[in-house]
Amino acid sequence: MAKQFNRILITGAAGSLGTQLRRGLAPLADTLRLADRVEIEDVQPHEEAMVFDLADEAATIEATRDVDAIVHMGGAAVERPWQDVLDSSIRGSYHIYEGARKHGVKRIAYASSVHAIGFHKLTDHIDAQTPTRPDTLYGVSKCFVESLSSLYWDKFGIETVCVRIFSCFPEPADRRHLWSWLSFDDCVRLFSSALTAPSVGHTIVFGMSDNTVKPVDNSLAGHLGFQPQDSAEPFRAAVEARVPVADPMASATRCYGGAYVDFPHPDDEAQ
Ligand SMILES: NC(=O)c1ccc[n+]([C@@H]2O[C@H](COP(=O)([O-])OP(=O)(O)OC[C@H]3O[C@@H](n4cnc5c(N)ncnc54)[C@H](O)[C@@H]3O)[C@@H](O)[C@H]2O)c1
């Protein structure tokens, strides 16, 4: 793969998916700038690390200087108390987009989530034009950033691929993952496509592997050229032997968001 970028900024680079993308996107850029609020270990010669909180507007904007593209993975990665969702994901992502605008960054690949559309039912067979239907405050923050993506494309010409990641883990852990799983390697393929597809504007894509059960229509993201190569199918027998069948009428079974649709308000839970 030819190096297409001088420098790519990866936020949330110390996290699970950030670590995979450090590995997988290295062939695309001379330098990966790794950002997180926790220290990043084993910084390699082709990498540079910055430690700051996305809620820090000046530090976040500064981190976008001299970068050609941004892979934005940082922020609350599950349902969290409102203050963390607000500071890390909503304010933090706004700072990323402002940094991109001020420093002329032309392409962002954003880690959105299934939880932006979590209350839709699997039988709805949604596509990228189906309205959002978040299942948590976390999901609301993903919808907010998808709206930033739309605004900053229409008004400022900054392109974004919003990758609605479903379940990206080393292997499928439960029956829901048999349709929702995204392998780490397919995640790398998808973010590579998001960065290198010739023209993306404001694109929404569902991030899942080539699983046998496909409850969404990804055809509106065909221009990305993403072709998943892994499948949850080889794991099916082991998962079905280990995990009991869920109630088919339960909301958590019928909705894309799974258990998140039943989560309480996070601030009530914290009390
Ligand atoms: N793993 C999945 O299946 C999945 C599914 C849907 C969406 N996503 C999204 O992908 C992204 C990465 O997820 P992950 O599974 O690697 O989570 P993770 O928790 O392992 O990584 C998130 C990283 O973001 C950093 N971070 C959090 N708040 C920050 C802040 N205020 N300032 C700076 N850094 C901050 C954390 O320190 C962490 O290293 C998240 O945005 C998550 O919502 C992941």
Side-chain angles (χ1 to χ4, degrees), residues 11-19 35-38 52-55 72-78 84 87-89 110-115 138 142 163-169 184:
T11 70
S16 168
L17 302 191
T19 300
D36 207 291
R37 66 178 170 191
V38 303
F52 62 90
D53 197 302
L54 288 159
H72 183 33
M73 312 300 288
V78 291
D84 191 25
D87 291 340
S88 296
S89 302
Y110 171 58
S112 187
S113 168
V114 60
H115 299 293
Y138 165 69
K142 298 299 185 187
V163 180
R164 287 180 180 162
I165 302 167
F166 277 54
S167 306
C168 193
F169 300 104
F184 284 158

Side-chain angles (χ1 to χ4, degrees), residues 114-115 117-124 133 135 166 176 179-180 215 247-262:
V114 60
H115 299 293
I117 43 89
F119 262 113
H120 284 295
K121 308 227 169 12
L122 271 71
T123 46
D124 293 344
R133 204 164 168 182
D135 56 29
F166 277 54
R176 178 172 171 271
W179 58 261
S180 68
D247 174 1
M249 296 314 292
S251 297
T253 313
R254 298 175 69 204
C255 295
Y256 290 106
Y260 276 49
V261 302
D262 292 326

Side-chain angles (χ1 to χ4, degrees), residues 1 14 43 60 64 85 92 114 116 157 163 225 241-242 271:
M1 217 184 307
V43 177
T60 305
T64 64
V85 173
V114 60
V163 180
R242 192 178 67 244
Q271 284 167 9

